Structures are given as C-alpha cells and as structure tokens.
C-alpha cells in the first residue's frame, strides 16, 4: 500500500514537471515567467487591481468618452523642464498620495527626505531644480490648499520668478489631483474642523485678489470652530466644505470669483460644474481615494514612473466611524449636489480609463507572445531544414562510397 502511494506521488510530480517543461517550450518569453509564477503560487493568481473595492464585476459605462480622453500617457521628461503640479483638495487622501510622490517612486535621483522635516528635496538628475510642485516638495508656495484658479495663475510665475521672461524655458505643466466620495469627504472635513482646523491661511486668490469678508463670510467668530456639531457645520450657508471639490477644480474667474451677484445661482452652478468636469478630464491624471491600487496603476502608466511599494486600501477612516441616519445623509448629499454629480462623472471616467489601459496592456502582451511564437517556429523550421540537409548530405556521401 505504501509503495502504491509513493508511485502515485511520483507520478504526480513527474506530471507537474512535464507541464512546466511544456509551458517553457510553448511560451518561452518574459511574459510567461509571470504565468509560471502564478501557476506555482495560486494566491498570486488574482488580478491585484481587481478586488480592492466594491467595483461591479462588470462595469457598465454611463458616459461617452473618446479614445483621446481615455488614453493617458504623457511624455514626462524629468531631466528636462516638465513639472508635475499636485492640486491637493482637503480630506481626499491627498496627504497620503503626496507622501507617495516624494517617498515611494523609483527614481534615478530619489527625493531627499530628512527626519523631522515636512518638505523633501526633489531635484532633477544633475540639476538643482524640482520636478514636483506639491505640499511635500515646494510647500504651499501658492497658498494653503491652492485651487485650480490659483495654481494655474501662480505656478508658472513662482517656478520661474528668478529668471528673466526671455530666459524662461517652455515647460509642460502636468496637473494631477485626488477626489473622494463627497459624503465621506464632507464628514472627514467636519471632524477635522471639529478638532480645530481652520485653513485660515488659504488665500482664495481669483482675478488678482482675495475675496472680501462680504464675499466670503466666516462661519464662526472665534479663533476656530472646534467642537462644532454636525448640525452647526451643515447650517452655515458660507461653509466652503459645501461642493468643495467642484469649486477647487473649476475656473472661478468664469463666474466672477466669489462675487455671487454676477450671475443667477443656477447659471453659476452649471458653469462651475461644467468647468470642473472639463478641467478634470484634461488633467494629466486624477485618482480616487476609494480605488488606491487602480490609482497607482493609472499614475504609473500615465507618467511611466513606478512606485516602490503598492498602495494600501484603507476602508476604516474617521469619516467611516461617523454614524449618520438617512435624513442626515440626504442633507449632506443636497449640500454637495455639485460634488455628487462631479464624482459620478469622475468615477465613470476613472474606471473607463482603467479598463482601456488594461485592455491595451493585454493586447500588447498578446502581440509580444505572438511575435515570440513566430520567432520560435522560425527557429524550429530552420533547425529541421538543417537536419534534413545534413541527412541528405550523409546519404549522398554514403552512396558515393558504395560506388567505389
């Protein structure tokens, strides 16, 4: 009985080795190395970008985007003059993503981050000039949490402020940002304000000036709004948390900045939303907090830069610990109705881009495998031909010897 079990085990081992040899013969290329590793490690066989969130197994697009809208690959020249500009919207996970940019990217010359210092030095290879404009590289050079309107007007002048106009290089500015589910983001901002955050240092510059106190009143009278209840937070009509993502991604100069008397509210809302959608679509890259691994994948494909460690999907946050009833949920959604529409649009575009890029990747891998098979078949045919010629030569030589 024991001999029989040993024979069965030996047969299984031989069958496995035979399968590996066949796979090596049929598919010798580098792409198949991954297949072999997956065959040896079932736990690694799953797509690492697929099971991180609640994405439907079969995503059904709602919006029509062109191939140009979906394909995001920029020719970012880190050794040249190109600049990545990170638009950091409050409570979207931007701090985590910002740290990835300065500490977690494989670079010829990594950012220099010293213990105890918030900012890192991110110089181009061989130059004393930054390739990244962000909180953790250049600081809040255009103001605390500067928005689209501020950054697009401020960054070029800040970066080249010490150079004469005629000596300034022709740069490509690649804007990137992170968005988050509006309800979760709103609750997270409330909790942050409740702990004493104010962002009073934000400039809100638009058309060359900051808003007046009449244009942008404060929700509180003291030094901060610490301890405010969620009800108080929702009741303030001037609260910048409302529709923050739309406001920070739109061109505010189109609506008269913070002057609400320039146009009717309904028209203003439409202009802001349309502007935010267009700016988001034209950005080099944007990610979503709820899709960390997909965000990593799309950034890597867009900029041809790879992260050292994979992103982690954190489903437990301060916002997720806040329990609200259905009525409060509806109130927050109503206060952020523009952000809700923008996020639906962004999520659809994001997932379509992910699908499109993965399809392109699979098509390219398939094309390489086909080329490798053609090369292999050509080699085999050449070897067979050599073998036949050799046999024919040997036969003729033998015939000549027999005749003698």
């Amino acid at each position: 009985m024991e001999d029989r079990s040993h024979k069965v085990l030996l047969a299984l081992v031989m069958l496995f080795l035979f399968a590996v040899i066949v796979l090596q013969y049929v598919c010798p290329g580098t792409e198949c190395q991954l297949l072999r590793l997956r065959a040896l490690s079932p736990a690694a066989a799953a797509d690492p970008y697929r099971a991180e969130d609640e994405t439907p197994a079969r995503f059904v697009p709602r919006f029509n985007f062109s191939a140009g809208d979906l394909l995001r690959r920029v020719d970012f020249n880190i050794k040249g003059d190109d600049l990545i500009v990170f638009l950091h919207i409050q409570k979207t996970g931007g701090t985590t993503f910002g740290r990835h940019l300065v500490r977690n990217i494989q670079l010829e010359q990594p950012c220099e981050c010293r213990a105890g210092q918030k900012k890192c030095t991110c110089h181009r290879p061989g130059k004393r000039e930054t390739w990244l404009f962000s909180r953790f590289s250049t600081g809040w050079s255009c103001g605390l949490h500067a928005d689209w309107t501020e950054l697009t007007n401020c960054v070029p002048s800040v970066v080249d402020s010490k150079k004469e106009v005629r000596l300034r290089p022709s740069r490509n500015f690649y804007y990137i940002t992170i968005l988050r589910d509006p309800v979760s983001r709103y609750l997270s901002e409330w909790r942050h304000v409740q702990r004493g955050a104010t962002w009073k240092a934000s400039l809100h510059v638009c058309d060359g000036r900051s808003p007046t106190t009449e244009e942008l009143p404060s929700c509180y009278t003291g030094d901060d709004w610490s301890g405010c209840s969620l009800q108080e937070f929702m009741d303030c009509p001037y609260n910048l948390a409302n529709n923050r993502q739309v406001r920070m991604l739109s061109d505010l100069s189109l609506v008269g900045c913070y002057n609400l008397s320039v146009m009717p509210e309904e028209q203003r809302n439409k202009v802001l939303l349309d502007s935010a959608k267009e700016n988001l679509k034209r950005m080099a890259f944007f990610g979503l907090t709820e899709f960390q691994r997909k965000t990593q994948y799309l950034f890597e494909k867009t900029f041809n830069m790879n992260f050292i460690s994979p992103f982690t999907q954190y489903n437990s946050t301060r916002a997720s610990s806040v329990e609200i009833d259905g009525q409060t949920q509806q109130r927050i959604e109503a206060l952020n109705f523009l952000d809700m529409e923008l996020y639906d649009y962004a999520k659809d575009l994001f997932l379509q881009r992910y699908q499109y890029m993965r399809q392109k990747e699979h098509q390219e891998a398939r094309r390489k495998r086909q080329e490798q098979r053609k090369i292999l078949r050509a080699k085999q045919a050449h070897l067979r031909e050599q073998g036949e010629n050799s046999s024919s030569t040997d036969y003729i030589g033998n015939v000549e010897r027999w005749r003698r």
Side-chain angles (χ1 to χ4, degrees):
M1 187 70 181
E2 187 176 347
D3 290 340
R4 184 179 179 183
S5 62
H6 282 310
K7 289 180 180 179
V8 171
L9 181 61
L10 181 62
L12 290 173
V13 171
M14 294 297 292
L15 183 63
F16 174 77
L17 292 175
F18 176 75
V20 172
I21 293 170
V22 169
L23 181 62
Q24 177 104 23
Y25 177 79
V26 173
C27 187
T30 54
E31 284 80 10
C32 291
Q33 299 295 330
L34 182 59
L35 290 176
R36 291 185 202 109
L37 288 174
R38 286 178 176 175
L40 292 170
S41 177
D47 186 339
Y49 302 105
R50 206 164 280 237
E52 61 169 343
D53 42 49
E54 305 85 20
T55 311
R58 189 171 182 178
F59 167 63
V60 180
R62 292 176 48 203
F63 298 91
N64 293 321
F65 295 106
S66 67
D69 295 331
L70 299 179
L71 182 60
R72 272 293 178 272
R73 281 178 180 162
V74 302
D75 187 20
F76 177 66
N77 184 8
I78 194 172
K79 295 182 179 180
D81 299 306
D82 296 347
L83 193 70
I84 293 178
V85 182
F86 180 33
L87 193 164
H88 185 172
I89 302 173
Q90 289 96 316
K91 312 315 295 178
T92 58
T95 298
T96 300
F97 183 75
R99 288 198 179 104
H100 279 304
L101 292 177
V102 298
R103 297 176 180 272
N104 192 30
I105 295 183
Q106 296 176 6
L107 296 171
E108 179 183 334
Q109 182 174 326
C111 296
E112 185 180 339
C113 302
R114 296 180 179 178
Q117 295 184 1
K118 290 186 177 180
K119 290 196 298 183
C120 301
T121 302
C122 298
H123 284 161
R124 306 177 191 277
K127 294 183 180 180
R128 295 187 62 81
E129 181 183 270
T130 188
W131 57 267
L132 175 65
F133 194 97
S134 75
R135 168 189 180 181
F136 292 118
S137 57
T138 55
W140 302 112
S141 301
C142 288
L144 180 62
H145 287 286
D147 56 31
W148 171 272
T149 308
E150 292 175 291
L151 287 176
T152 52
N153 286 282
C154 168
V155 172
S157 59
V158 167
V159 172
D160 296 316
S161 60
K162 297 180 181 178
K163 299 178 182 178
E164 295 181 30
V165 176
R166 63 184 181 86
L167 297 178
R168 293 178 182 178
S170 177
R171 299 181 187 274
N172 292 313
F173 294 96
Y174 295 114
Y175 287 85
I176 64 175
T177 195
I178 301 291
L179 297 183
R180 185 180 181 183
D181 169 76
V183 175
S184 296
R185 198 214 65 79
Y186 188 84
L187 289 171
S188 182
E189 180 164 342
W190 163 61
R191 291 296 298 270
H192 200 55
V193 168
Q194 196 181 44
R195 295 192 300 272
T198 63
W199 297 301
K200 286 192 289 190
S202 295
L203 303 175
H204 304 298
V205 174
C206 178
D207 284 350
R209 68 175 182 87
S210 295
T212 64
T213 53
E214 289 76 20
E215 291 173 330
L216 193 59
S218 177
C219 286
Y220 54 91
T221 55
D223 293 334
D224 57 44
W225 206 7
S226 58
C228 75
S229 67
L230 179 56
Q231 188 64 47
E232 291 172 327
F233 194 74
M234 293 188 295
D235 286 344
C236 178
Y238 324 113
N239 196 340
L240 289 178
N242 300 342
N243 294 311
R244 181 180 289 279
Q245 295 179 102
V246 164
R247 191 185 67 259
M248 291 189 67
L249 288 173
S250 61
D251 183 354
L252 295 177
S253 63
L254 297 175
V255 295
C257 301
Y258 293 88
N259 185 353
L260 303 183
S261 64
V262 170
M263 63 181 65
E265 182 181 2
E266 186 175 349
Q267 181 184 356
R268 176 185 174 87
N269 289 338
K270 185 180 185 309
V271 172
L272 288 174
L273 181 60
D274 290 345
S275 175
K277 286 181 177 180
E278 186 64 23
N279 289 338
L280 188 71
K281 184 175 68 175
R282 294 176 61 185
M283 274 185 168
F285 161 84
F286 73 88
L288 299 181
T289 304
E290 289 73 23
F291 300 89
Q292 290 293 315
R293 295 298 299 279
K294 291 180 176 65
T295 292
Q296 175 184 349
Y297 173 84
L298 287 176
F299 181 91
E300 291 177 339
K301 293 300 178 183
T302 299
F303 288 99
N304 194 28
M305 301 169 78
N306 294 318
F307 290 98
I308 300 168
S309 302
F311 287 14
T312 303
Q313 186 68 49
Y314 293 108
N315 294 319
S316 178
T317 63
R318 287 192 176 94
S320 64
S321 65
V322 178
E323 294 184 4
I324 57 174
D325 55 31
Q327 187 176 357
T328 304
Q329 169 96 11
Q330 291 177 0
R331 176 84 190 281
I332 295 174
E333 290 176 357
L335 289 170
N336 293 275
F337 70 103
L338 295 177
D339 273 10
M340 296 294 293
E341 189 168 342
L342 175 67
Y343 186 79
D344 285 344
Y345 175 88
K347 183 177 178 180
D348 194 275
L349 175 57
F350 178 87
L351 292 176
Q352 284 198 52
R353 280 182 177 172
Y354 173 77
Q355 272 193 346
Y356 188 82
M357 295 297 284
R358 292 290 281 177
Q359 288 170 0
K360 285 287 184 184
E361 188 178 38
H362 292 156
Q363 289 169 0
E364 181 65 17
R366 191 182 305 117
R367 184 188 64 78
K368 287 182 179 180
R369 287 196 299 270
Q370 290 172 348
E371 287 181 355
Q372 289 172 347
R373 290 191 186 107
K374 286 181 181 178
I375 293 172
L376 178 62
R377 283 196 292 267
K379 287 180 179 178
Q380 291 172 340
H382 180 66
L383 290 173
R384 281 197 301 271
E385 186 178 346
Q386 283 184 329
E388 290 171 359
N389 290 339
S390 176
S391 299
S392 177
T393 303
D394 291 344
Y395 176 74
I396 293 172
N398 290 332
V399 170
E400 290 294 329
R401 283 194 296 272
W402 294 335
R403 285 179 178 178
R404 294 173 192 165

